[in-house]
Amino acid sequence: MNERKRNVMEAAHALFVEKGYAATSIQDILDQSGISKGTFYNYFPSKNELLMSIFEKINLETDQRRAHVIAGRPVHDKEAFIQQVKVKMEVSKENNLFALFQGVFISEDEELKKFIKQHHISELRWMQRRVIEVYGMRVYPYSIDLAVMMHGMIHHTVHFVMAIEADVNVDQVIGYAMRRVDAAIEEIIHTNDALLDPHVLEKWQPEEERARERKKSRVLQEIGAMQREADERSNELLVFLQDEMREETPRRLVMETVAGTISNNETLMLRIKEFFS
């Protein structure tokens, strides 16, 4: 992204927070960023597209910071999961996401509302995937229930504490929600008490992307399962594979070569081949 386009997005972001999305005109953005109308439309077909670009930039920042948190750590590391959840809340606060969301709802723009809905669904899918990685495949049938439970507990608690004008300790809130999930899991598994189909969120995702995501998830789940019984050397290799798998373009030759040096690797090798096929 060139510097001029970034400046336009930053100027618009500030205006959307200050004045509201609906009340901010394209002329306001032109005046704030010092560009012509022609340049604006060269970057963005509409004000809607500009706002969606801002959200996508924020999502990319979240993904990058979450990847940094988990880098070099086992996939089932609960503390890493807690810190990744915290990243989302920090990024939301830094970018005044609540004000941006409010602006969308006030505008009653159906295209933007659909986009925001997809944003929330993507976050729940991320949390569902991480719940499976942290707790193992045994929680898969209940994974969306647990993701919704944890996500809702955290956000409603934070909003309540803010509403009564008390100080919010995000670490305490996330840690508390994590302990409640820990306590609930064994009972849920024992009673086989599933509410939502774990595939329920997939219908909002394109089939090709959905298939790739499933294959990627299987590789990460197998890595997580192997980490629980791995010795120190094998765990280092598995962490390397985990980090490589989370890259935008994982390298097949590197992954197959490293996986080939780990004992009891048959299922892992199969999952890697399935992902790249």
Side-chain angles (χ1 to χ4, degrees):
M1 183 188 302
N2 66 52
E3 191 64 27
R4 204 172 187 187
K5 183 176 181 180
R6 183 180 291 107
N7 289 338
V8 174
M9 291 174 64
E10 289 175 356
H13 189 164
L15 285 169
F16 292 156
V17 171
E18 179 186 352
K19 298 181 62 174
Y21 173 77
T24 300
S25 67
I26 289 179
Q27 189 60 50
D28 291 332
I29 299 170
L30 301 182
D31 294 342
Q32 184 80 357
S33 57
I35 63 168
S36 67
K37 186 174 289 187
T39 301
F40 176 89
Y41 284 113
N42 185 47
Y43 292 148
F44 309 102
S46 65
K47 191 171 74 166
N48 278 16
E49 290 291 335
L50 169 55
L51 181 58
M52 286 189 278
S53 295
I54 291 171
F55 279 125
E56 287 168 354
K57 176 177 174 292
I58 294 170
N59 289 340
L60 178 60
E61 180 185 353
T62 302
D63 291 343
Q64 291 172 339
R65 286 166 63 170
R66 280 175 166 172
H68 178 73
V69 168
I70 196 67
R73 302 168 76 170
V75 70
H76 56 269
D77 187 326
K78 289 184 181 179
E79 184 56 36
F81 181 34
I82 289 172
Q83 291 305 311
Q84 285 183 307
V85 174
K86 184 180 178 182
V87 160
K88 178 66 175 181
M89 303 181 75
E90 290 173 339
V91 172
S92 296
K93 183 178 180 180
E94 291 163 11
N95 290 278
N96 289 291
L97 268 187
F98 183 70
L100 293 180
F101 288 151
Q102 275 194 317
V104 170
F105 296 134
I106 291 172
S107 74
E108 297 186 354
D109 187 296
E110 291 305 317
E111 180 186 17
L112 285 176
K113 284 186 176 181
K114 183 178 180 181
F115 182 85
I116 295 302
K117 180 179 180 180
Q118 184 63 53
H119 170 89
H120 289 309
I121 289 169
S122 296
E123 180 62 16
L124 277 174
R125 292 194 74 253
W126 175 86
M127 186 164 283
Q128 177 189 19
R129 184 167 62 250
R130 289 295 286 121
V131 163
I132 296 169
E133 291 171 1
V134 169
Y135 292 101
M137 279 302 294
R138 67 194 187 117
V139 305
Y140 177 77
Y142 325 100
S143 55
I144 188 61
D145 299 343
L146 294 167
V148 170
M149 181 193 307
M150 186 167 181
H151 186 272
M153 198 181 309
I154 292 168
H155 286 272
H156 284 295
T157 302
V158 169
H159 290 160
F160 171 74
V161 174
M162 290 174 62
I164 62 174
E165 299 181 352
D167 292 332
V168 178
N169 187 316
V170 174
D171 290 281
Q172 286 185 355
V173 172
I174 300 173
Y176 179 84
M178 192 81 177
R179 292 193 297 275
R180 300 287 69 75
V181 170
D182 283 344
I185 281 177
E186 295 306 325
E187 181 185 359
I188 289 172
I189 293 175
H190 177 71
T191 58
N192 192 28
D193 190 7
L195 177 63
L196 299 171
D197 184 335
H199 299 287
V200 69
L201 298 180
E202 292 184 1
K203 66 180 181 180
W204 282 279
Q205 192 176 29
E207 177 56 36
E208 183 178 348
E209 182 182 343
R210 188 159 66 238
R212 181 176 174 81
E213 192 66 31
R214 279 199 297 263
K215 292 178 181 179
K216 179 178 180 179
S217 183
R218 288 182 190 132
V219 175
L220 290 170
Q221 288 162 18
E222 181 60 26
I223 290 172
M226 293 177 69
Q227 282 176 320
R228 288 177 169 81
E229 300 178 1
D231 57 30
E232 184 175 352
R233 176 185 173 279
S234 295
N235 188 62
E236 289 178 359
L237 296 174
L238 288 165
V239 167
F240 173 83
L241 289 173
Q242 170 192 313
D243 292 344
E244 181 68 25
M245 195 69 228
R246 293 186 188 280
E247 291 291 333
E248 184 175 345
T249 309
R251 295 167 294 178
R252 178 173 187 167
L253 180 59
V254 170
M255 293 197 66
E256 290 184 340
T257 300
V258 173
T261 67
I262 303 173
S263 59
N264 300 317
N265 64 5
E266 293 81 4
T267 303
L268 178 59
M269 292 294 287
L270 176 62
R271 297 296 181 229
I272 291 172
K273 288 176 180 177
E274 285 176 349
F275 175 78
F276 286 104
S277 64

